[in-house]
PDB file of all heavy atoms in Angstrom:
ATOM      1  N   GLU X   1      10.383   8.694 -13.235  1.00  0.00           N
ATOM      2  CA  GLU X   1      11.753   8.534 -12.755  1.00  0.00           C
ATOM      3  C   GLU X   1      12.450   9.885 -12.732  1.00  0.00           C
ATOM      4  O   GLU X   1      13.642   9.955 -12.486  1.00  0.00           O
ATOM      5  CB  GLU X   1      12.518   7.551 -13.641  1.00  0.00           C
ATOM      6  CG  GLU X   1      12.029   6.127 -13.513  1.00  0.00           C
ATOM      7  CD  GLU X   1      12.863   5.140 -14.298  1.00  0.00           C
ATOM      8  OE1 GLU X   1      13.569   5.553 -15.233  1.00  0.00           O
ATOM      9  OE2 GLU X   1      12.811   3.948 -13.973  1.00  0.00           O
ATOM     10  N   GLN X   2      11.694  10.958 -13.023  1.00  0.00           N
ATOM     11  CA  GLN X   2      12.246  12.309 -13.057  1.00  0.00           C
ATOM     12  C   GLN X   2      11.587  13.146 -11.972  1.00  0.00           C
ATOM     13  O   GLN X   2      10.369  13.080 -11.776  1.00  0.00           O
ATOM     14  CB  GLN X   2      12.017  12.948 -14.418  1.00  0.00           C
ATOM     15  CG  GLN X   2      12.670  12.191 -15.544  1.00  0.00           C
ATOM     16  CD  GLN X   2      12.295  12.766 -16.902  1.00  0.00           C
ATOM     17  OE1 GLN X   2      11.414  13.609 -17.003  1.00  0.00           O
ATOM     18  NE2 GLN X   2      12.964  12.301 -17.932  1.00  0.00           N
ATOM     19  N   GLU X   3      12.376  13.966 -11.309  1.00  0.00           N
ATOM     20  CA  GLU X   3      11.879  14.777 -10.206  1.00  0.00           C
ATOM     21  C   GLU X   3      10.791  15.758 -10.649  1.00  0.00           C
ATOM     22  O   GLU X   3       9.836  16.004  -9.928  1.00  0.00           O
ATOM     23  CB  GLU X   3      13.043  15.546  -9.585  1.00  0.00           C
ATOM     24  CG  GLU X   3      12.685  16.339  -8.358  1.00  0.00           C
ATOM     25  CD  GLU X   3      13.902  16.990  -7.752  1.00  0.00           C
ATOM     26  OE1 GLU X   3      14.934  16.326  -7.647  1.00  0.00           O
ATOM     27  OE2 GLU X   3      13.796  18.171  -7.404  1.00  0.00           O
ATOM     28  N   ASP X   4      10.906  16.305 -11.849  1.00  0.00           N
ATOM     29  CA  ASP X   4       9.972  17.325 -12.317  1.00  0.00           C
ATOM     30  C   ASP X   4       8.697  16.756 -12.934  1.00  0.00           C
ATOM     31  O   ASP X   4       7.782  17.513 -13.256  1.00  0.00           O
ATOM     32  CB  ASP X   4      10.652  18.235 -13.338  1.00  0.00           C
ATOM     33  CG  ASP X   4      11.757  19.069 -12.709  1.00  0.00           C
ATOM     34  OD1 ASP X   4      11.647  19.372 -11.503  1.00  0.00           O
ATOM     35  OD2 ASP X   4      12.722  19.415 -13.410  1.00  0.00           O
ATOM     36  N   LEU X   5       8.639  15.463 -13.135  1.00  0.00           N
ATOM     37  CA  LEU X   5       7.461  14.834 -13.725  1.00  0.00           C
ATOM     38  C   LEU X   5       6.598  14.250 -12.609  1.00  0.00           C
ATOM     39  O   LEU X   5       7.015  13.359 -11.884  1.00  0.00           O
ATOM     40  CB  LEU X   5       7.848  13.731 -14.710  1.00  0.00           C
ATOM     41  CG  LEU X   5       6.702  12.905 -15.298  1.00  0.00           C
ATOM     42  CD1 LEU X   5       5.751  13.793 -16.100  1.00  0.00           C
ATOM     43  CD2 LEU X   5       7.251  11.782 -16.160  1.00  0.00           C
ATOM     44  N   GLU X   6       5.387  14.776 -12.485  1.00  0.00           N
ATOM     45  CA  GLU X   6       4.457  14.285 -11.467  1.00  0.00           C
ATOM     46  C   GLU X   6       3.407  13.411 -12.146  1.00  0.00           C
ATOM     47  O   GLU X   6       2.802  13.815 -13.136  1.00  0.00           O
ATOM     48  CB  GLU X   6       3.770  15.459 -10.777  1.00  0.00           C
ATOM     49  CG  GLU X   6       2.832  15.047  -9.678  1.00  0.00           C
ATOM     50  CD  GLU X   6       2.162  16.238  -9.013  1.00  0.00           C
ATOM     51  OE1 GLU X   6       2.790  17.298  -8.909  1.00  0.00           O
ATOM     52  OE2 GLU X   6       1.002  16.101  -8.616  1.00  0.00           O
ATOM     53  N   VAL X   7       3.224  12.204 -11.625  1.00  0.00           N
ATOM     54  CA  VAL X   7       2.259  11.264 -12.188  1.00  0.00           C
ATOM     55  C   VAL X   7       1.260  10.889 -11.095  1.00  0.00           C
ATOM     56  O   VAL X   7       1.648  10.437 -10.021  1.00  0.00           O
ATOM     57  CB  VAL X   7       2.957   9.989 -12.723  1.00  0.00           C
ATOM     58  CG1 VAL X   7       1.934   9.004 -13.262  1.00  0.00           C
ATOM     59  CG2 VAL X   7       3.981  10.338 -13.787  1.00  0.00           C
ATOM     60  N   GLN X   8      -0.024  11.098 -11.400  1.00  0.00           N
ATOM     61  CA  GLN X   8      -1.096  10.720 -10.470  1.00  0.00           C
ATOM     62  C   GLN X   8      -2.029   9.774 -11.203  1.00  0.00           C
ATOM     63  O   GLN X   8      -2.484  10.082 -12.309  1.00  0.00           O
ATOM     64  CB  GLN X   8      -1.870  11.948 -10.007  1.00  0.00           C
ATOM     65  CG  GLN X   8      -1.044  12.925  -9.224  1.00  0.00           C
ATOM     66  CD  GLN X   8      -1.837  14.175  -8.874  1.00  0.00           C
ATOM     67  OE1 GLN X   8      -2.805  14.516  -9.536  1.00  0.00           O
ATOM     68  NE2 GLN X   8      -1.412  14.846  -7.818  1.00  0.00           N
ATOM     69  N   THR X   9      -2.299   8.619 -10.595  1.00  0.00           N
ATOM     70  CA  THR X   9      -3.169   7.628 -11.227  1.00  0.00           C
ATOM     71  C   THR X   9      -4.277   7.238 -10.271  1.00  0.00           C
ATOM     72  O   THR X   9      -4.048   7.067  -9.071  1.00  0.00           O
ATOM     73  CB  THR X   9      -2.361   6.375 -11.628  1.00  0.00           C
ATOM     74  OG1 THR X   9      -1.328   6.765 -12.528  1.00  0.00           O
ATOM     75  CG2 THR X   9      -3.235   5.352 -12.303  1.00  0.00           C
ATOM     76  N   ARG X  10      -5.460   7.075 -10.836  1.00  0.00           N
ATOM     77  CA  ARG X  10      -6.624   6.615 -10.076  1.00  0.00           C
ATOM     78  C   ARG X  10      -7.242   5.472 -10.871  1.00  0.00           C
ATOM     79  O   ARG X  10      -7.425   5.582 -12.084  1.00  0.00           O
ATOM     80  CB  ARG X  10      -7.634   7.750  -9.915  1.00  0.00           C
ATOM     81  CG  ARG X  10      -8.802   7.398  -9.040  1.00  0.00           C
ATOM     82  CD  ARG X  10      -9.674   8.613  -8.788  1.00  0.00           C
ATOM     83  NE  ARG X  10     -10.444   8.965  -9.964  1.00  0.00           N
ATOM     84  CZ  ARG X  10     -11.718   8.598 -10.160  1.00  0.00           C
ATOM     85  NH1 ARG X  10     -12.334   7.878  -9.248  1.00  0.00           N
ATOM     86  NH2 ARG X  10     -12.358   8.946 -11.238  1.00  0.00           N
ATOM     87  N   ALA X  11      -7.535   4.384 -10.200  1.00  0.00           N
ATOM     88  CA  ALA X  11      -8.125   3.222 -10.863  1.00  0.00           C
ATOM     89  C   ALA X  11      -9.432   2.833 -10.180  1.00  0.00           C
ATOM     90  O   ALA X  11      -9.544   2.886  -8.959  1.00  0.00           O
ATOM     91  CB  ALA X  11      -7.157   2.043 -10.828  1.00  0.00           C
ATOM     92  N   VAL X  12     -10.406   2.446 -11.004  1.00  0.00           N
ATOM     93  CA  VAL X  12     -11.704   1.985 -10.503  1.00  0.00           C
ATOM     94  C   VAL X  12     -12.019   0.670 -11.189  1.00  0.00           C
ATOM     95  O   VAL X  12     -12.134   0.636 -12.408  1.00  0.00           O
ATOM     96  CB  VAL X  12     -12.825   3.016 -10.797  1.00  0.00           C
ATOM     97  CG1 VAL X  12     -14.165   2.486 -10.345  1.00  0.00           C
ATOM     98  CG2 VAL X  12     -12.501   4.357 -10.162  1.00  0.00           C
ATOM     99  N   PRO X  13     -12.115  -0.431 -10.455  1.00  0.00           N
ATOM    100  CA  PRO X  13     -11.871  -0.572  -9.018  1.00  0.00           C
ATOM    101  C   PRO X  13     -10.385  -0.392  -8.707  1.00  0.00           C
ATOM    102  O   PRO X  13      -9.555  -0.438  -9.612  1.00  0.00           O
ATOM    103  CB  PRO X  13     -12.321  -2.011  -8.732  1.00  0.00           C
ATOM    104  CG  PRO X  13     -12.127  -2.737 -10.009  1.00  0.00           C
ATOM    105  CD  PRO X  13     -12.422  -1.733 -11.084  1.00  0.00           C
ATOM    106  N   PRO X  14     -10.045  -0.195  -7.437  1.00  0.00           N
ATOM    107  CA  PRO X  14      -8.633  -0.022  -7.077  1.00  0.00           C
ATOM    108  C   PRO X  14      -7.792  -1.235  -7.481  1.00  0.00           C
ATOM    109  O   PRO X  14      -8.282  -2.363  -7.531  1.00  0.00           O
ATOM    110  CB  PRO X  14      -8.676   0.112  -5.549  1.00  0.00           C
ATOM    111  CG  PRO X  14     -10.064   0.555  -5.244  1.00  0.00           C
ATOM    112  CD  PRO X  14     -10.935  -0.079  -6.285  1.00  0.00           C
ATOM    113  N   VAL X  15      -6.533  -0.973  -7.765  1.00  0.00           N
ATOM    114  CA  VAL X  15      -5.572  -2.013  -8.145  1.00  0.00           C
ATOM    115  C   VAL X  15      -5.406  -2.994  -6.980  1.00  0.00           C
ATOM    116  O   VAL X  15      -5.333  -2.596  -5.822  1.00  0.00           O
ATOM    117  CB  VAL X  15      -4.222  -1.345  -8.500  1.00  0.00           C
ATOM    118  CG1 VAL X  15      -3.129  -2.368  -8.673  1.00  0.00           C
ATOM    119  CG2 VAL X  15      -4.381  -0.479  -9.742  1.00  0.00           C
ATOM    120  N   SER X  16      -5.327  -4.287  -7.291  1.00  0.00           N
ATOM    121  CA  SER X  16      -5.127  -5.318  -6.270  1.00  0.00           C
ATOM    122  C   SER X  16      -3.652  -5.562  -5.973  1.00  0.00           C
ATOM    123  O   SER X  16      -3.285  -5.903  -4.852  1.00  0.00           O
ATOM    124  CB  SER X  16      -5.740  -6.644  -6.735  1.00  0.00           C
ATOM    125  OG  SER X  16      -7.095  -6.493  -7.040  1.00  0.00           O
ATOM    126  N   GLU X  17      -2.795  -5.410  -7.002  1.00  0.00           N
ATOM    127  CA  GLU X  17      -1.353  -5.657  -6.858  1.00  0.00           C
ATOM    128  C   GLU X  17      -0.579  -4.564  -7.592  1.00  0.00           C
ATOM    129  O   GLU X  17      -0.987  -4.132  -8.660  1.00  0.00           O
ATOM    130  CB  GLU X  17      -0.953  -6.986  -7.493  1.00  0.00           C
ATOM    131  CG  GLU X  17      -1.630  -8.215  -6.959  1.00  0.00           C
ATOM    132  CD  GLU X  17      -1.267  -9.434  -7.792  1.00  0.00           C
ATOM    133  OE1 GLU X  17      -0.068  -9.711  -7.980  1.00  0.00           O
ATOM    134  OE2 GLU X  17      -2.197 -10.089  -8.289  1.00  0.00           O
ATOM    135  N   THR X  18       0.547  -4.158  -7.018  1.00  0.00           N
ATOM    136  CA  THR X  18       1.443  -3.220  -7.695  1.00  0.00           C
ATOM    137  C   THR X  18       2.811  -3.871  -7.865  1.00  0.00           C
ATOM    138  O   THR X  18       3.163  -4.802  -7.139  1.00  0.00           O
ATOM    139  CB  THR X  18       1.600  -1.912  -6.900  1.00  0.00           C
ATOM    140  OG1 THR X  18       2.099  -2.215  -5.599  1.00  0.00           O
ATOM    141  CG2 THR X  18       0.277  -1.172  -6.779  1.00  0.00           C
ATOM    142  N   ASP X  19       3.573  -3.373  -8.821  1.00  0.00           N
ATOM    143  CA  ASP X  19       4.921  -3.893  -9.105  1.00  0.00           C
ATOM    144  C   ASP X  19       4.907  -5.417  -9.254  1.00  0.00           C
ATOM    145  O   ASP X  19       5.711  -6.129  -8.645  1.00  0.00           O
ATOM    146  CB  ASP X  19       5.923  -3.449  -8.040  1.00  0.00           C
ATOM    147  CG  ASP X  19       6.060  -1.926  -7.987  1.00  0.00           C
ATOM    148  OD1 ASP X  19       5.810  -1.274  -9.018  1.00  0.00           O
ATOM    149  OD2 ASP X  19       6.412  -1.399  -6.922  1.00  0.00           O
ATOM    150  N   VAL X  20       3.996  -5.900 -10.098  1.00  0.00           N
ATOM    151  CA  VAL X  20       3.841  -7.336 -10.338  1.00  0.00           C
ATOM    152  C   VAL X  20       5.158  -7.904 -10.856  1.00  0.00           C
ATOM    153  O   VAL X  20       5.799  -7.333 -11.736  1.00  0.00           O
ATOM    154  CB  VAL X  20       2.701  -7.588 -11.349  1.00  0.00           C
ATOM    155  CG1 VAL X  20       2.627  -9.052 -11.743  1.00  0.00           C
ATOM    156  CG2 VAL X  20       1.367  -7.117 -10.770  1.00  0.00           C
ATOM    157  N   ASP X  21       5.569  -9.033 -10.302  1.00  0.00           N
ATOM    158  CA  ASP X  21       6.831  -9.698 -10.654  1.00  0.00           C
ATOM    159  C   ASP X  21       8.013  -8.746 -10.530  1.00  0.00           C
ATOM    160  O   ASP X  21       8.960  -8.796 -11.320  1.00  0.00           O
ATOM    161  CB  ASP X  21       6.767 -10.286 -12.070  1.00  0.00           C
ATOM    162  CG  ASP X  21       5.730 -11.377 -12.206  1.00  0.00           C
ATOM    163  OD1 ASP X  21       5.436 -12.050 -11.188  1.00  0.00           O
ATOM    164  OD2 ASP X  21       5.188 -11.548 -13.312  1.00  0.00           O
ATOM    165  N   ASP X  22       7.947  -7.848  -9.540  1.00  0.00           N
ATOM    166  CA  ASP X  22       9.006  -6.862  -9.274  1.00  0.00           C
ATOM    167  C   ASP X  22       9.278  -5.950 -10.462  1.00  0.00           C
ATOM    168  O   ASP X  22      10.399  -5.462 -10.639  1.00  0.00           O
ATOM    169  CB  ASP X  22      10.304  -7.555  -8.832  1.00  0.00           C
ATOM    170  CG  ASP X  22      10.154  -8.262  -7.505  1.00  0.00           C
ATOM    171  OD1 ASP X  22       9.446  -7.720  -6.627  1.00  0.00           O
ATOM    172  OD2 ASP X  22      10.723  -9.354  -7.336  1.00  0.00           O
ATOM    173  N   LYS X  23       8.256  -5.687 -11.278  1.00  0.00           N
ATOM    174  CA  LYS X  23       8.386  -4.778 -12.422  1.00  0.00           C
ATOM    175  C   LYS X  23       7.620  -3.502 -12.102  1.00  0.00           C
ATOM    176  O   LYS X  23       6.401  -3.524 -11.928  1.00  0.00           O
ATOM    177  CB  LYS X  23       7.855  -5.428 -13.691  1.00  0.00           C
ATOM    178  CG  LYS X  23       8.689  -6.613 -14.115  1.00  0.00           C
ATOM    179  CD  LYS X  23       8.148  -7.244 -15.362  1.00  0.00           C
ATOM    180  CE  LYS X  23       8.991  -8.473 -15.696  1.00  0.00           C
ATOM    181  NZ  LYS X  23       8.365  -9.299 -16.711  1.00  0.00           N
ATOM    182  N   ARG X  24       8.352  -2.407 -12.021  1.00  0.00           N
ATOM    183  CA  ARG X  24       7.755  -1.124 -11.671  1.00  0.00           C
ATOM    184  C   ARG X  24       6.729  -0.705 -12.727  1.00  0.00           C
ATOM    185  O   ARG X  24       6.975  -0.813 -13.920  1.00  0.00           O
ATOM    186  CB  ARG X  24       8.846  -0.068 -11.553  1.00  0.00           C
ATOM    187  CG  ARG X  24       8.343   1.207 -10.969  1.00  0.00           C
ATOM    188  CD  ARG X  24       9.468   2.120 -10.594  1.00  0.00           C
ATOM    189  NE  ARG X  24       8.904   3.340 -10.055  1.00  0.00           N
ATOM    190  CZ  ARG X  24       9.568   4.452  -9.926  1.00  0.00           C
ATOM    191  NH1 ARG X  24      10.829   4.512 -10.273  1.00  0.00           N
ATOM    192  NH2 ARG X  24       8.981   5.516  -9.438  1.00  0.00           N
ATOM    193  N   GLY X  25       5.576  -0.252 -12.265  1.00  0.00           N
ATOM    194  CA  GLY X  25       4.527   0.210 -13.161  1.00  0.00           C
ATOM    195  C   GLY X  25       3.577  -0.881 -13.626  1.00  0.00           C
ATOM    196  O   GLY X  25       2.572  -0.589 -14.260  1.00  0.00           O
ATOM    197  N   VAL X  26       3.881  -2.138 -13.322  1.00  0.00           N
ATOM    198  CA  VAL X  26       2.999  -3.236 -13.719  1.00  0.00           C
ATOM    199  C   VAL X  26       2.039  -3.507 -12.563  1.00  0.00           C
ATOM    200  O   VAL X  26       2.466  -3.697 -11.427  1.00  0.00           O
ATOM    201  CB  VAL X  26       3.801  -4.510 -14.086  1.00  0.00           C
ATOM    202  CG1 VAL X  26       2.866  -5.644 -14.451  1.00  0.00           C
ATOM    203  CG2 VAL X  26       4.761  -4.220 -15.238  1.00  0.00           C
ATOM    204  N   VAL X  27       0.744  -3.481 -12.878  1.00  0.00           N
ATOM    205  CA  VAL X  27      -0.293  -3.636 -11.857  1.00  0.00           C
ATOM    206  C   VAL X  27      -1.240  -4.763 -12.247  1.00  0.00           C
ATOM    207  O   VAL X  27      -1.250  -5.205 -13.395  1.00  0.00           O
ATOM    208  CB  VAL X  27      -1.085  -2.323 -11.665  1.00  0.00           C
ATOM    209  CG1 VAL X  27      -0.181  -1.215 -11.156  1.00  0.00           C
ATOM    210  CG2 VAL X  27      -1.783  -1.916 -12.946  1.00  0.00           C
ATOM    211  N   ALA X  28      -2.025  -5.206 -11.271  1.00  0.00           N
ATOM    212  CA  ALA X  28      -2.993  -6.273 -11.540  1.00  0.00           C
ATOM    213  C   ALA X  28      -4.250  -6.055 -10.720  1.00  0.00           C
ATOM    214  O   ALA X  28      -4.212  -5.489  -9.628  1.00  0.00           O
ATOM    215  CB  ALA X  28      -2.394  -7.639 -11.223  1.00  0.00           C
ATOM    216  N   TRP X  29      -5.341  -6.500 -11.292  1.00  0.00           N
ATOM    217  CA  TRP X  29      -6.627  -6.548 -10.607  1.00  0.00           C
ATOM    218  C   TRP X  29      -7.028  -7.998 -10.501  1.00  0.00           C
ATOM    219  O   TRP X  29      -6.870  -8.766 -11.448  1.00  0.00           O
ATOM    220  CB  TRP X  29      -7.712  -5.804 -11.406  1.00  0.00           C
ATOM    221  CG  TRP X  29      -7.560  -4.323 -11.463  1.00  0.00           C
ATOM    222  CD1 TRP X  29      -8.159  -3.407 -10.652  1.00  0.00           C
ATOM    223  CD2 TRP X  29      -6.793  -3.568 -12.401  1.00  0.00           C
ATOM    224  NE1 TRP X  29      -7.816  -2.135 -11.027  1.00  0.00           N
ATOM    225  CE2 TRP X  29      -6.964  -2.207 -12.102  1.00  0.00           C
ATOM    226  CE3 TRP X  29      -5.952  -3.914 -13.470  1.00  0.00           C
ATOM    227  CZ2 TRP X  29      -6.346  -1.197 -12.819  1.00  0.00           C
ATOM    228  CZ3 TRP X  29      -5.336  -2.898 -14.185  1.00  0.00           C
ATOM    229  CH2 TRP X  29      -5.537  -1.559 -13.855  1.00  0.00           C
ATOM    230  N   ARG X  30      -7.565  -8.412  -9.351  1.00  0.00           N
ATOM    231  CA  ARG X  30      -8.080  -9.769  -9.157  1.00  0.00           C
ATOM    232  C   ARG X  30      -9.564  -9.664  -8.828  1.00  0.00           C
ATOM    233  O   ARG X  30      -9.959  -8.858  -7.983  1.00  0.00           O
ATOM    234  CB  ARG X  30      -7.362 -10.475  -8.016  1.00  0.00           C
ATOM    235  CG  ARG X  30      -5.939 -10.860  -8.329  1.00  0.00           C
ATOM    236  CD  ARG X  30      -5.344 -11.631  -7.143  1.00  0.00           C
ATOM    237  NE  ARG X  30      -3.981 -12.017  -7.392  1.00  0.00           N
ATOM    238  CZ  ARG X  30      -3.611 -13.155  -7.956  1.00  0.00           C
ATOM    239  NH1 ARG X  30      -4.520 -14.031  -8.324  1.00  0.00           N
ATOM    240  NH2 ARG X  30      -2.343 -13.431  -8.136  1.00  0.00           N
ATOM    241  N   PHE X  31     -10.367 -10.492  -9.509  1.00  0.00           N
ATOM    242  CA  PHE X  31     -11.797 -10.501  -9.241  1.00  0.00           C
ATOM    243  C   PHE X  31     -12.404 -11.784  -9.782  1.00  0.00           C
ATOM    244  O   PHE X  31     -11.813 -12.471 -10.615  1.00  0.00           O
ATOM    245  CB  PHE X  31     -12.497  -9.273  -9.845  1.00  0.00           C
ATOM    246  CG  PHE X  31     -12.184  -9.031 -11.293  1.00  0.00           C
ATOM    247  CD1 PHE X  31     -12.928  -9.624 -12.305  1.00  0.00           C
ATOM    248  CD2 PHE X  31     -11.143  -8.195 -11.655  1.00  0.00           C
ATOM    249  CE1 PHE X  31     -12.649  -9.388 -13.638  1.00  0.00           C
ATOM    250  CE2 PHE X  31     -10.853  -7.948 -12.991  1.00  0.00           C
ATOM    251  CZ  PHE X  31     -11.609  -8.550 -13.983  1.00  0.00           C
ATOM    252  N   GLU X  32     -13.585 -12.102  -9.268  1.00  0.00           N
ATOM    253  CA  GLU X  32     -14.351 -13.245  -9.747  1.00  0.00           C
ATOM    254  C   GLU X  32     -15.271 -12.757 -10.860  1.00  0.00           C
ATOM    255  O   GLU X  32     -15.911 -11.711 -10.724  1.00  0.00           O
ATOM    256  CB  GLU X  32     -15.182 -13.856  -8.619  1.00  0.00           C
ATOM    257  CG  GLU X  32     -14.345 -14.421  -7.478  1.00  0.00           C
ATOM    258  CD  GLU X  32     -13.410 -15.532  -7.919  1.00  0.00           C
ATOM    259  OE1 GLU X  32     -13.880 -16.432  -8.661  1.00  0.00           O
ATOM    260  OE2 GLU X  32     -12.226 -15.503  -7.540  1.00  0.00           O
ATOM    261  N   LEU X  33     -15.324 -13.518 -11.946  1.00  0.00           N
ATOM    262  CA  LEU X  33     -16.181 -13.163 -13.072  1.00  0.00           C
ATOM    263  C   LEU X  33     -17.141 -14.318 -13.325  1.00  0.00           C
ATOM    264  O   LEU X  33     -16.729 -15.405 -13.737  1.00  0.00           O
ATOM    265  CB  LEU X  33     -15.337 -12.870 -14.311  1.00  0.00           C
ATOM    266  CG  LEU X  33     -16.046 -12.193 -15.474  1.00  0.00           C
ATOM    267  CD1 LEU X  33     -16.654 -10.857 -15.045  1.00  0.00           C
ATOM    268  CD2 LEU X  33     -15.084 -11.968 -16.624  1.00  0.00           C
ATOM    269  N   LEU X  34     -18.408 -14.076 -13.031  1.00  0.00           N
ATOM    270  CA  LEU X  34     -19.426 -15.117 -13.182  1.00  0.00           C
ATOM    271  C   LEU X  34     -19.691 -15.428 -14.651  1.00  0.00           C
ATOM    272  O   LEU X  34     -19.433 -14.603 -15.527  1.00  0.00           O
ATOM    273  CB  LEU X  34     -20.723 -14.676 -12.506  1.00  0.00           C
ATOM    274  CG  LEU X  34     -20.633 -14.354 -11.011  1.00  0.00           C
ATOM    275  CD1 LEU X  34     -21.978 -13.877 -10.494  1.00  0.00           C
ATOM    276  CD2 LEU X  34     -20.129 -15.554 -10.234  1.00  0.00           C
ATOM    277  N   ALA X  35     -20.215 -16.612 -14.908  1.00  0.00           N
ATOM    278  CA  ALA X  35     -20.542 -17.034 -16.278  1.00  0.00           C
ATOM    279  C   ALA X  35     -21.452 -16.004 -16.936  1.00  0.00           C
ATOM    280  O   ALA X  35     -22.438 -15.574 -16.347  1.00  0.00           O
ATOM    281  CB  ALA X  35     -21.218 -18.399 -16.256  1.00  0.00           C
ATOM    282  N   GLY X  36     -21.075 -15.568 -18.143  1.00  0.00           N
ATOM    283  CA  GLY X  36     -21.876 -14.617 -18.899  1.00  0.00           C
ATOM    284  C   GLY X  36     -21.767 -13.167 -18.455  1.00  0.00           C
ATOM    285  O   GLY X  36     -22.373 -12.286 -19.048  1.00  0.00           O
ATOM    286  N   ALA X  37     -20.985 -12.894 -17.425  1.00  0.00           N
ATOM    287  CA  ALA X  37     -20.871 -11.532 -16.892  1.00  0.00           C
ATOM    288  C   ALA X  37     -19.702 -10.787 -17.538  1.00  0.00           C
ATOM    289  O   ALA X  37     -18.846 -11.376 -18.189  1.00  0.00           O
ATOM    290  CB  ALA X  37     -20.689 -11.577 -15.383  1.00  0.00           C
ATOM    291  N   SER X  38     -19.686  -9.479 -17.331  1.00  0.00           N
ATOM    292  CA  SER X  38     -18.565  -8.663 -17.773  1.00  0.00           C
ATOM    293  C   SER X  38     -18.202  -7.686 -16.664  1.00  0.00           C
ATOM    294  O   SER X  38     -19.011  -7.407 -15.779  1.00  0.00           O
ATOM    295  CB  SER X  38     -18.896  -7.912 -19.063  1.00  0.00           C
ATOM    296  OG  SER X  38     -19.927  -6.983 -18.841  1.00  0.00           O
ATOM    297  N   LYS X  39     -16.961  -7.184 -16.715  1.00  0.00           N
ATOM    298  CA  LYS X  39     -16.496  -6.235 -15.707  1.00  0.00           C
ATOM    299  C   LYS X  39     -15.641  -5.189 -16.395  1.00  0.00           C
ATOM    300  O   LYS X  39     -14.805  -5.512 -17.236  1.00  0.00           O
ATOM    301  CB  LYS X  39     -15.694  -6.939 -14.619  1.00  0.00           C
ATOM    302  CG  LYS X  39     -15.212  -5.998 -13.537  1.00  0.00           C
ATOM    303  CD  LYS X  39     -14.830  -6.745 -12.304  1.00  0.00           C
ATOM    304  CE  LYS X  39     -14.417  -5.833 -11.180  1.00  0.00           C
ATOM    305  NZ  LYS X  39     -15.522  -5.394 -10.380  1.00  0.00           N
ATOM    306  N   SER X  40     -15.833  -3.945 -16.004  1.00  0.00           N
ATOM    307  CA  SER X  40     -15.070  -2.832 -16.549  1.00  0.00           C
ATOM    308  C   SER X  40     -14.017  -2.395 -15.538  1.00  0.00           C
ATOM    309  O   SER X  40     -14.297  -2.301 -14.341  1.00  0.00           O
ATOM    310  CB  SER X  40     -16.017  -1.668 -16.856  1.00  0.00           C
ATOM    311  OG  SER X  40     -15.291  -0.548 -17.279  1.00  0.00           O
ATOM    312  N   VAL X  41     -12.807  -2.122 -16.027  1.00  0.00           N
ATOM    313  CA  VAL X  41     -11.714  -1.606 -15.209  1.00  0.00           C
ATOM    314  C   VAL X  41     -11.236  -0.331 -15.890  1.00  0.00           C
ATOM    315  O   VAL X  41     -10.952  -0.324 -17.086  1.00  0.00           O
ATOM    316  CB  VAL X  41     -10.555  -2.627 -15.100  1.00  0.00           C
ATOM    317  CG1 VAL X  41      -9.378  -2.034 -14.368  1.00  0.00           C
ATOM    318  CG2 VAL X  41     -11.037  -3.897 -14.408  1.00  0.00           C
TER     319      VAL X  41
END
C-alpha cells in the first residue's frame, strides 16, 4: 500500500483466484485431489 515498497510474488501452480471475498491479498487455488494423493503449492 506504499509507493516505495515493491512486492513481487510467484506461485506454483499459479493462483486460481485473487482478492477472495473482496479481501485484498487473499488468494485461492482450486484443484482435484485424488484419493491417497498429495499436492504441493
